[in-house]
Amino acid sequence: MGQKILLIIGLFALAHAGYSAAQHRVYVRLTEQQFEHLPTDIIVQTLIAFLACCIGTVQLFGKFKPILITAEWQNKTWDTIGNRPSFMTFNHRGRKLFH
Amino acid sequence: MSTNNEMQIRRTASNSRSTISSKSSSSSSSSSLPKENKIRNTEPILYSEVAVRFNENSLEQCRTSVSVLSGCVAGIIGLTSYKGFIFYAFSMFFLSFLIYFYIRNEHRKFFTSLNHIFINGFFNGLLTYVLFWTFLYGMVHVY
């Protein structure tokens, strides 16, 4: 959950910036001014929200696995790999010897 | 036969830990198979195909979602024509640098070469970017 908070905040900030940009556009159209640029704070909010969302998605999706196949074999001993319990037989002469 | 292969691969890996070169010196102790060890000098490196595919898949997911986000940003800011494409290139480079900083010390452990994160999937998200760019531009600036 802590990983997703950055992403959720970034998405909300992006949506808020988009809505305020649309409102600014309507305002400029109503007062019949010439539209040149969006106000600076909307642009800054958009860029910071983009940065936060990027970091959030890389944290969320950027989980990689090691590709060398020996990386997962390093910690295994021969006893773990070579254990084949279905090949163990118990029907041998130990039954007569040790009873 | 498969157990012999496992033992051989593990013996080579424990002797030469972090070599990328294909010539690995296998000076194994008490080798019961001397004939195989002579061939062993040019052994190729073994990759796990599942892990390679998983890494490429998660890289592709990152790329798609970042191209969606940068399309939204370009639409909201109101970029037009060539500035939009420059912004797409900038966002792809930004994503590559982010991933590189996240796996800074062990990038050789996850990818065979750095080309995968920087160059290979560069234009994969272009159409997604243009879609969200035009959609958000229409939403914010036209309606």
Short mmCIF file of all heavy atoms in Angstrom, two decimals, chain B residues 62-93:
data_model
loop_
_atom_site.label_atom_id
_atom_site.label_comp_id
_atom_site.label_asym_id
_atom_site.label_seq_id
_atom_site.Cartn_x
_atom_site.Cartn_y
_atom_site.Cartn_z
N CYS B 62 6.17 -1.18 -17.73
CA CYS B 62 6.64 0.15 -17.32
C CYS B 62 6.55 1.12 -18.48
O CYS B 62 6.08 2.25 -18.32
CB CYS B 62 8.09 0.08 -16.87
SG CYS B 62 8.33 -0.51 -15.22
N ARG B 63 7.02 0.68 -19.65
CA ARG B 63 7.05 1.57 -20.81
C ARG B 63 5.66 2.00 -21.22
O ARG B 63 5.45 3.16 -21.55
CB ARG B 63 7.70 0.85 -21.97
CG ARG B 63 9.09 1.13 -22.03
CD ARG B 63 9.62 1.22 -23.39
NE ARG B 63 11.03 1.40 -23.14
CZ ARG B 63 11.89 0.41 -23.08
NH1 ARG B 63 11.50 -0.79 -23.36
NH2 ARG B 63 13.13 0.65 -22.78
N THR B 64 4.72 1.06 -21.23
CA THR B 64 3.38 1.41 -21.67
C THR B 64 2.74 2.41 -20.71
O THR B 64 2.16 3.42 -21.15
CB THR B 64 2.50 0.16 -21.75
OG1 THR B 64 3.23 -0.88 -22.36
CG2 THR B 64 1.26 0.42 -22.54
N SER B 65 2.86 2.16 -19.41
CA SER B 65 2.19 3.07 -18.48
C SER B 65 2.86 4.44 -18.47
O SER B 65 2.18 5.46 -18.33
CB SER B 65 2.14 2.48 -17.08
OG SER B 65 3.32 1.83 -16.78
N VAL B 66 4.17 4.50 -18.66
CA VAL B 66 4.82 5.82 -18.69
C VAL B 66 4.46 6.56 -19.98
O VAL B 66 4.30 7.79 -19.97
CB VAL B 66 6.34 5.68 -18.52
CG1 VAL B 66 7.06 6.92 -18.95
CG2 VAL B 66 6.66 5.41 -17.09
N SER B 67 4.25 5.82 -21.08
CA SER B 67 3.85 6.53 -22.30
C SER B 67 2.42 7.04 -22.17
O SER B 67 2.09 8.11 -22.70
CB SER B 67 4.03 5.66 -23.52
OG SER B 67 3.22 4.54 -23.45
N VAL B 68 1.55 6.29 -21.44
CA VAL B 68 0.20 6.79 -21.17
C VAL B 68 0.27 8.08 -20.36
O VAL B 68 -0.37 9.09 -20.68
CB VAL B 68 -0.63 5.72 -20.44
CG1 VAL B 68 -1.86 6.31 -19.83
CG2 VAL B 68 -1.00 4.62 -21.38
N LEU B 69 1.09 8.06 -19.31
CA LEU B 69 1.20 9.23 -18.44
C LEU B 69 1.76 10.43 -19.18
O LEU B 69 1.26 11.56 -19.02
CB LEU B 69 2.11 8.90 -17.27
CG LEU B 69 1.45 8.11 -16.17
CD1 LEU B 69 2.50 7.68 -15.19
CD2 LEU B 69 0.44 8.98 -15.48
N SER B 70 2.76 10.22 -19.99
CA SER B 70 3.35 11.37 -20.68
C SER B 70 2.42 11.88 -21.77
O SER B 70 2.42 13.07 -22.08
CB SER B 70 4.72 11.01 -21.25
OG SER B 70 4.60 10.04 -22.22
N GLY B 71 1.57 10.97 -22.32
CA GLY B 71 0.55 11.45 -23.24
C GLY B 71 -0.45 12.35 -22.55
O GLY B 71 -0.85 13.39 -23.08
N CYS B 72 -0.84 11.96 -21.32
CA CYS B 72 -1.76 12.81 -20.56
C CYS B 72 -1.13 14.16 -20.26
O CYS B 72 -1.77 15.20 -20.41
CB CYS B 72 -2.14 12.12 -19.24
SG CYS B 72 -3.06 10.61 -19.48
N VAL B 73 0.13 14.15 -19.88
CA VAL B 73 0.80 15.41 -19.54
C VAL B 73 0.91 16.30 -20.76
O VAL B 73 0.65 17.51 -20.69
CB VAL B 73 2.19 15.11 -18.94
CG1 VAL B 73 3.03 16.34 -18.88
CG2 VAL B 73 2.04 14.53 -17.58
N ALA B 74 1.25 15.72 -21.91
CA ALA B 74 1.38 16.53 -23.13
C ALA B 74 0.04 17.09 -23.54
O ALA B 74 -0.05 18.22 -24.03
CB ALA B 74 1.96 15.68 -24.25
N GLY B 75 -1.05 16.33 -23.33
CA GLY B 75 -2.36 16.84 -23.67
C GLY B 75 -2.79 17.97 -22.77
O GLY B 75 -3.37 18.95 -23.21
N ILE B 76 -2.48 17.84 -21.47
CA ILE B 76 -2.90 18.88 -20.53
C ILE B 76 -2.12 20.17 -20.76
O ILE B 76 -2.69 21.26 -20.79
CB ILE B 76 -2.72 18.37 -19.08
CG1 ILE B 76 -3.76 17.31 -18.78
CG2 ILE B 76 -2.85 19.51 -18.10
CD1 ILE B 76 -3.58 16.67 -17.45
N ILE B 77 -0.81 20.04 -20.95
CA ILE B 77 0.00 21.24 -21.15
C ILE B 77 -0.34 21.90 -22.47
O ILE B 77 -0.33 23.12 -22.61
CB ILE B 77 1.48 20.88 -21.07
CG1 ILE B 77 1.84 20.49 -19.65
CG2 ILE B 77 2.35 22.00 -21.51
CD1 ILE B 77 3.28 20.16 -19.47
N GLY B 78 -0.71 21.12 -23.46
CA GLY B 78 -1.11 21.70 -24.73
C GLY B 78 0.02 21.76 -25.73
O GLY B 78 0.15 22.70 -26.49
N LEU B 79 0.84 20.72 -25.74
CA LEU B 79 1.94 20.69 -26.68
C LEU B 79 1.41 20.40 -28.08
O LEU B 79 0.43 19.68 -28.25
CB LEU B 79 2.94 19.61 -26.29
CG LEU B 79 3.64 19.82 -24.97
CD1 LEU B 79 4.45 18.59 -24.63
CD2 LEU B 79 4.55 21.00 -25.05
N THR B 80 2.06 20.95 -29.04
CA THR B 80 1.64 20.69 -30.43
C THR B 80 2.83 20.24 -31.24
O THR B 80 3.97 20.45 -30.87
CB THR B 80 1.07 21.97 -31.07
OG1 THR B 80 2.07 22.98 -30.97
CG2 THR B 80 -0.19 22.40 -30.39
N SER B 81 2.55 19.65 -32.33
CA SER B 81 3.45 19.12 -33.39
C SER B 81 4.78 18.60 -32.86
O SER B 81 4.82 17.66 -32.10
CB SER B 81 3.63 20.10 -34.51
OG SER B 81 4.33 21.23 -34.11
N TYR B 82 5.91 19.23 -33.23
CA TYR B 82 7.20 18.60 -32.97
C TYR B 82 7.53 18.61 -31.50
O TYR B 82 8.22 17.71 -31.00
CB TYR B 82 8.31 19.28 -33.76
CG TYR B 82 8.57 20.70 -33.37
CD1 TYR B 82 9.54 21.02 -32.44
CD2 TYR B 82 7.83 21.74 -33.94
CE1 TYR B 82 9.78 22.32 -32.07
CE2 TYR B 82 8.06 23.04 -33.58
CZ TYR B 82 9.03 23.33 -32.65
OH TYR B 82 9.24 24.61 -32.29
N LYS B 83 6.98 19.57 -30.74
CA LYS B 83 7.29 19.59 -29.31
C LYS B 83 6.74 18.36 -28.61
O LYS B 83 7.32 17.86 -27.64
CB LYS B 83 6.70 20.84 -28.68
CG LYS B 83 7.36 22.11 -29.12
CD LYS B 83 6.74 23.29 -28.40
CE LYS B 83 7.03 24.55 -29.17
NZ LYS B 83 6.22 25.66 -28.72
N GLY B 84 5.60 17.86 -29.12
CA GLY B 84 5.04 16.67 -28.52
C GLY B 84 5.95 15.46 -28.67
O GLY B 84 6.13 14.68 -27.74
N PHE B 85 6.52 15.30 -29.85
CA PHE B 85 7.38 14.15 -30.07
C PHE B 85 8.69 14.28 -29.31
O PHE B 85 9.26 13.30 -28.84
CB PHE B 85 7.63 13.95 -31.56
CG PHE B 85 6.41 13.50 -32.29
CD1 PHE B 85 5.72 14.35 -33.11
CD2 PHE B 85 5.93 12.21 -32.12
CE1 PHE B 85 4.58 13.95 -33.76
CE2 PHE B 85 4.79 11.79 -32.77
CZ PHE B 85 4.12 12.66 -33.59
N ILE B 86 9.17 15.52 -29.19
CA ILE B 86 10.37 15.72 -28.37
C ILE B 86 10.05 15.36 -26.92
O ILE B 86 10.88 14.75 -26.22
CB ILE B 86 10.85 17.18 -28.50
CG1 ILE B 86 11.38 17.41 -29.89
CG2 ILE B 86 11.92 17.49 -27.49
CD1 ILE B 86 11.83 18.82 -30.12
N PHE B 87 8.85 15.69 -26.47
CA PHE B 87 8.49 15.33 -25.10
C PHE B 87 8.39 13.82 -24.93
O PHE B 87 8.74 13.28 -23.87
CB PHE B 87 7.16 15.99 -24.73
CG PHE B 87 6.79 15.79 -23.30
CD1 PHE B 87 7.50 16.42 -22.29
CD2 PHE B 87 5.73 14.98 -22.94
CE1 PHE B 87 7.17 16.24 -20.97
CE2 PHE B 87 5.39 14.79 -21.62
CZ PHE B 87 6.11 15.43 -20.63
N TYR B 88 7.92 13.13 -25.97
CA TYR B 88 7.88 11.66 -25.88
C TYR B 88 9.29 11.08 -25.75
O TYR B 88 9.54 10.18 -24.95
CB TYR B 88 7.19 11.08 -27.11
CG TYR B 88 7.29 9.58 -27.17
CD1 TYR B 88 6.57 8.78 -26.30
CD2 TYR B 88 8.10 8.95 -28.10
CE1 TYR B 88 6.67 7.42 -26.34
CE2 TYR B 88 8.21 7.59 -28.15
CZ TYR B 88 7.48 6.82 -27.27
OH TYR B 88 7.59 5.47 -27.31
N ALA B 89 10.22 11.58 -26.57
CA ALA B 89 11.59 11.10 -26.48
C ALA B 89 12.18 11.39 -25.11
O ALA B 89 12.86 10.54 -24.50
CB ALA B 89 12.45 11.74 -27.59
N PHE B 90 11.89 12.59 -24.60
CA PHE B 90 12.39 12.94 -23.27
C PHE B 90 11.82 12.01 -22.20
O PHE B 90 12.54 11.56 -21.30
CB PHE B 90 12.02 14.39 -22.97
CG PHE B 90 12.08 14.73 -21.51
CD1 PHE B 90 13.29 14.83 -20.86
CD2 PHE B 90 10.92 14.91 -20.78
CE1 PHE B 90 13.34 15.13 -19.51
CE2 PHE B 90 10.96 15.20 -19.44
CZ PHE B 90 12.18 15.31 -18.80
N SER B 91 10.53 11.70 -22.29
CA SER B 91 9.95 10.85 -21.25
C SER B 91 10.49 9.42 -21.34
O SER B 91 10.67 8.76 -20.31
CB SER B 91 8.42 10.85 -21.35
OG SER B 91 8.01 10.14 -22.48
N MET B 92 10.79 8.94 -22.55
CA MET B 92 11.37 7.59 -22.67
C MET B 92 12.78 7.55 -22.11
O MET B 92 13.15 6.58 -21.42
CB MET B 92 11.37 7.14 -24.12
CG MET B 92 10.05 6.58 -24.53
SD MET B 92 9.65 5.15 -23.54
CE MET B 92 7.91 5.13 -23.68
N PHE B 93 13.55 8.59 -22.38
CA PHE B 93 14.90 8.63 -21.80
C PHE B 93 14.83 8.75 -20.28
O PHE B 93 15.62 8.14 -19.56
CB PHE B 93 15.68 9.81 -22.37
CG PHE B 93 16.39 9.47 -23.63
CD1 PHE B 93 16.18 10.19 -24.78
CD2 PHE B 93 17.27 8.40 -23.67
CE1 PHE B 93 16.81 9.87 -25.95
CE2 PHE B 93 17.92 8.07 -24.84
CZ PHE B 93 17.69 8.81 -25.98
#
